[in-house]
Amino acid sequence: MSSDATTPVLRNCIRLPLPEDELLEVTAKAKDYAIMHGAAMRSKTAFSQDSLNFAPFVLVPSSFPRKEFEKAVALQPIINRLMHNVAHDEEFITTTLAETIKVDEFTANLFNIYRKVLAHGFTQRISLGMLRSDLMLESGCPELSPRALEDRKDGGQDAAAVGKGAGTAAAAGTGRKEKEEQKEEEEQKEHRETQLSRATKERERRATSTQSAYCCWKQVEINTIASGFGHLGPASKTIQRFVLSELGHADKLHNMPNNNALAGLCDGMVKAWDIYAKPKAVILFIIEDVSYNICDQRFHEFYIRETYPHIKVLRRTLTEVHREGKLGQAKELLLGSQEVAVIYFRAGYEPGHYHSQSEWDARYLMETSLAIKCPSIHYHLAGTKKVQQALAQPAVLERFINDPEEIKAVGKIFTGLYSLDDNEAGNATYEMALRTPERFVLKPQREGGGNNVYGVDIPDALKRMSRVERSAWILMDLIHPPLTKGYMVRPGGDMPPQIVDMVSELGIFGVVIGDAEHIVHNYQAGHMLRTKLSTANEGGVAAGLGALDSPYLIDSDDDEDLDQI
Ligand code: ADP
Ligand code: MG
């Protein structure tokens, strides 16, 4: 996708290739190990409620720069707080999504629920956020290329034009006073400069060959609904730990960081359950009609039952909630006679989950209930791509974060994100995308993978839309992660597997619980790594393109094991 012959390669944790007999033996064993440890999914091609396939996985862990991993972990509580504050800022959400909901029916439906709940007041003021911040290493990170930064005379007109007059969501807020206009102008100028530096980055990177595999990372997206892999993240480490040990590299296991995602996320649900404080109330998982990624839901359920034997988990589709659900006297959500304390949405993030008005009615019923939702509707809206784009605009972070150091740290994780609203800035983005589409990815307000448009396909897609329709989308700089080389093991795949070029995406989980005034719990909760072929645009594991992986932490000055192939 975004790699070429100049893309840097991260060194492997062990020397590859493996001798063929050893590879065959360890791969066969690892497949069984995966199935028998729940690193598995239902087959889409031969579906059966009664059987599982192993989930695709990378045989040995992919390298990841230790410093960047630690930075991501340390930043997560700040991102949690940011998203919590964003979710509770009615004006920001309303202003930011104003254009989008005119043309995007799905977001408009979510927003309608939000509007109705706002009008009637929130029955439950506490929200449970179980977030996942997804990121990729940027091999052309300008921070590592001081030479490139000094020499940026000839490029950047495109993004400068976009920055010019780019209305920010914060600036679009109501009641802004005249005396603030000068400040706003300064911010715009600063913004233009930021955009300029982002836009020239790629050109400079190639001109000066300053790419590094030990680079900074950029946020791909932040998920506030159905953030999966709480089980499969740690399970990936379990498989790869087994494989490294089988191959005689137990001495390297200390470079695989602990991963307590499953416990962290489930404990978050139980903390919310405790706040609800009704010993008989249950935790409800909202599920798709068919759950292919079943292990990543059942293990949550099993963990809760095993760790907290008194808490019951129920699973229901939106359709079933519509049929069985009602509100009690105090607006408690009742499924039959069972009261629901916490609702964990593993479905409801895409239009296909709402077959009719019934499912929307079920969502609204739950939203107006006393149950603590993960996510509540405002959290869901805070996770839209449009909000992510607005957050990357200058001075917006100041609205949500007080500490200047934290603002700086969060500001650095954004790559170029551009509005396609029907205004001057949006039109400049449009022109820029037509001129240099290969630099970008075009994203609608959807989750779950397979919705984006990449590079050379962007002009046609944009030209098919009206100016107004474009505001349902955002444009984003493509991130250029370094490559890793390794074996990807898939059900029905080659035996032995071939060595392939891959790129990885790290997800850091966070849990945050609170209301508009107070945050009562806020912590980082483990991680997951997904790896895809470097030629694939997207790498959803459930979608069949990615593979389970886990990070092997390396330092750029390590030379003890320079195991390149
Ligand atoms: P979704 O909500 O559908 O998961 P994402 O924004 O995560 O949407 O995009 C899906 C996938 O597309 C990501 O997992 C990643 O592989 C790829 N992708 C998204 N944005 C970028 C980007 N800016 N640069 C490179 N790849 C990207
Ligand atoms: Mg994603």
Side-chain angles (χ1 to χ4, degrees):
M1 171 193 73
S2 55
S3 59
D4 58 32
T6 65
T7 305
V9 183
L10 283 158
R11 70 168 171 274
N12 288 321
C13 63
I14 59 168
R15 189 170 293 280
L16 299 181
L18 296 171
E20 186 168 319
D21 50 348
E22 191 178 25
L23 175 62
L24 275 169
E25 189 180 338
V26 77
T27 305
K29 232 187 244 196
K31 287 181 184 182
D32 284 344
Y33 191 93
I35 296 176
M36 294 170 195
H37 289 77
M41 289 180 173
R42 298 246 196 264
S43 167
K44 283 190 173 162
T45 47
F47 179 82
S48 162
Q49 294 278 13
D50 299 340
S51 63
L52 291 169
N53 279 350
F54 70 85
F57 62 91
V58 178
L59 192 65
V60 296
S62 291
S63 295
F64 198 95
R66 186 186 311 275
K67 277 199 196 99
E68 297 305 316
F69 179 84
E70 287 170 354
K71 224 189 278 173
V73 166
L75 201 62
Q76 191 58 40
I78 300 170
I79 293 179
N80 289 347
R81 184 155 27 85
L82 165 68
M83 296 312 291
H84 186 84
N85 293 343
V86 169
H88 288 91
D89 189 327
E90 183 187 333
E91 190 205 358
F92 182 76
I93 289 190
T94 307
T95 318
T96 303
L97 294 174
E99 293 303 308
T100 308
I101 59 174
K102 287 182 192 162
V103 280
D104 186 314
E105 195 190 340
F106 180 67
T107 311
N109 284 335
L110 294 173
F111 195 83
N112 272 340
I113 293 179
Y114 178 52
R115 212 174 350 227
K116 281 199 276 178
V117 174
L118 280 174
H120 296 112
F122 289 91
T123 313
Q124 177 54 261
R125 292 174 47 76
I126 299 270
S127 285
L128 166 60
M130 298 210 284
L131 316 179
R132 203 186 68 212
S133 172
D134 289 343
L135 57 100
M136 278 176 164
L137 294 167
E138 172 53 88
S139 58
C141 175
E143 282 159 51
L144 292 171
S145 336
R147 204 148 60 87
L149 278 179
E150 278 165 25
D151 179 33
R152 60 176 192 203
K153 283 166 239 148
D154 65 340
Q157 288 91 341
D158 280 353
V162 174
K164 196 172 169 190
T168 70
T174 53
R176 194 173 265 262
K177 296 186 189 78
E178 253 178 47
K179 64 179 177 183
E180 287 181 356
E181 273 173 15
Q182 194 184 344
K183 186 173 169 241
E184 193 180 319
E185 214 166 274
E186 278 162 20
E187 285 166 5
Q188 296 289 357
K189 187 164 168 269
E190 202 178 303
H191 176 48
R192 281 198 290 279
E193 278 160 16
T194 314
Q195 298 285 38
L196 180 117
S197 110
R198 282 173 181 162
T200 50
K201 180 177 66 188
E202 172 65 10
R203 201 176 331 217
E204 290 159 352
R205 183 171 79 80
R206 287 173 193 281
T208 55
S209 297
T210 45
Q211 300 112 293
S212 168
Y214 303 90
C215 40
C216 63
W217 53 264
K218 296 291 173 191
Q219 188 174 68
V220 173
E221 68 156 344
I222 177 102
N223 300 284
T224 61
I225 183 164
S227 308
F229 285 64
H231 159 69
L232 289 176
S236 317
K237 179 186 169 184
T238 312
I239 306 170
Q240 293 175 330
R241 188 179 57 196
F242 173 74
V243 169
L244 281 187
S245 306
E246 282 289 305
L247 293 173
H249 295 289
D251 58 313
K252 303 207 165 185
L253 299 181
H254 66 279
N255 288 319
M256 299 182 73
N258 280 341
N259 191 356
N260 295 319
L262 182 68
L265 295 173
C266 294
D267 291 346
M269 288 188 240
V270 172
K271 286 181 200 305
W273 184 90
D274 283 337
I275 291 173
Y276 193 85
K278 292 264 189 81
K280 289 240 152 54
V282 303
I283 297 178
L284 171 65
F285 288 14
I286 299 298
I287 54 167
E288 317 97 304
D289 296 335
V290 181
S291 298
Y292 294 101
N293 192 6
I294 187 71
C295 295
D296 204 58
Q297 297 176 9
R298 285 289 191 203
F299 272 87
H300 295 60
E301 193 176 334
F302 302 158
Y303 171 91
I304 292 172
R305 182 55 97 190
E306 283 158 17
T307 318
Y308 310 95
H310 51 293
I311 303 180
K312 186 176 180 67
V313 170
L314 292 181
R315 292 163 58 81
R316 294 286 185 277
T317 63
L318 287 167
T319 315
E320 288 166 342
V321 171
H322 179 250
R323 217 165 32 226
E324 297 171 29
K326 59 177 193 296
L327 296 189
Q329 298 242 303
K331 292 202 174 178
E332 66 276 25
L333 179 66
L334 300 169
L335 289 176
S337 59
Q338 308 203 70
E339 180 170 352
V340 176
V342 177
I343 308 174
Y344 173 46
F345 285 90
R346 287 300 294 253
Y349 55 81
E350 65 172 45
H353 296 158
Y354 298 83
H355 309 302
S356 66
Q357 186 56 38
S358 303
E359 287 73 23
W360 284 111
D361 291 346
R363 181 80 193 261
Y364 179 64
L365 180 84
M366 289 187 274
E367 205 55 50
T368 53
S369 79
L370 196 60
I372 298 175
K373 272 85 54 188
C374 175
S376 50
I377 193 73
H378 40 299
Y379 254 92
H380 190 168
L381 290 170
T384 52
K385 308 282 191 289
K386 184 66 199 168
V387 167
Q388 186 193 4
Q389 179 261 311
L391 284 175
Q393 304 306 298
V396 173
L397 288 177
E398 289 163 27
R399 188 174 171 131
F400 303 107
I401 306 177
N402 295 327
D403 182 337
E405 288 304 312
E406 291 183 359
I407 294 175
K408 218 162 115 195
V410 176
K412 278 189 189 165
I413 72 176
F414 296 123
T415 190
L417 282 144
Y418 312 92
S419 157
L420 278 160
D421 282 357
D422 183 14
N423 56 27
E424 199 191 330
N427 290 335
T429 302
Y430 173 71
E431 298 297 334
M432 178 171 79
L434 294 192
R435 266 198 303 276
T436 50
E438 65 285 353
R439 285 175 33 210
F440 301 112
V441 47
L442 180 66
K443 298 189 178 184
Q445 310 306 308
R446 291 289 175 276
E447 303 295 326
N451 303 300
N452 299 339
V453 181
Y454 293 86
V456 292
D457 295 334
I458 292 175
D460 277 353
L462 281 177
K463 283 180 199 162
R464 278 198 299 271
M465 298 174 204
S466 69
R467 281 167 70 122
V468 183
E469 280 167 348
R470 281 183 231 145
S471 48
W473 298 70
I474 61 152
L475 193 73
M476 183 175 186
D477 285 347
L478 264 182
I479 304 167
H480 303 86
L483 299 178
T484 51
K485 288 174 184 281
Y487 299 107
M488 202 179 263
V489 186
R490 306 191 151 276
D494 287 349
M495 271 302 262
Q498 306 295 310
I499 287 187
V500 287
D501 284 354
M502 309 179 295
V503 295
S504 299
E505 182 172 348
L506 179 69
I508 306 284
F509 292 104
V511 173
V512 53
I513 305 179
D515 62 18
E517 278 82 43
H518 301 105
I519 290 180
V520 284
H521 297 285
N522 177 7
Y523 56 91
Q524 183 263 340
H527 59 272
M528 50 81 83
L529 192 75
R530 265 176 311 178
T531 294
K532 63 182 179 182
L533 293 178
S534 65
T535 47
N537 280 327
E538 296 198 14
V541 177
L545 297 164
L548 306 182
D549 200 352
S550 60
Y552 181 87
L553 302 183
I554 52 172
D555 299 296
S556 56
D557 44 10
D558 273 352
D559 48 13
E560 40 151 317
D561 49 6
L562 280 170
D563 284 325
Q564 290 279 12
I565 49 172

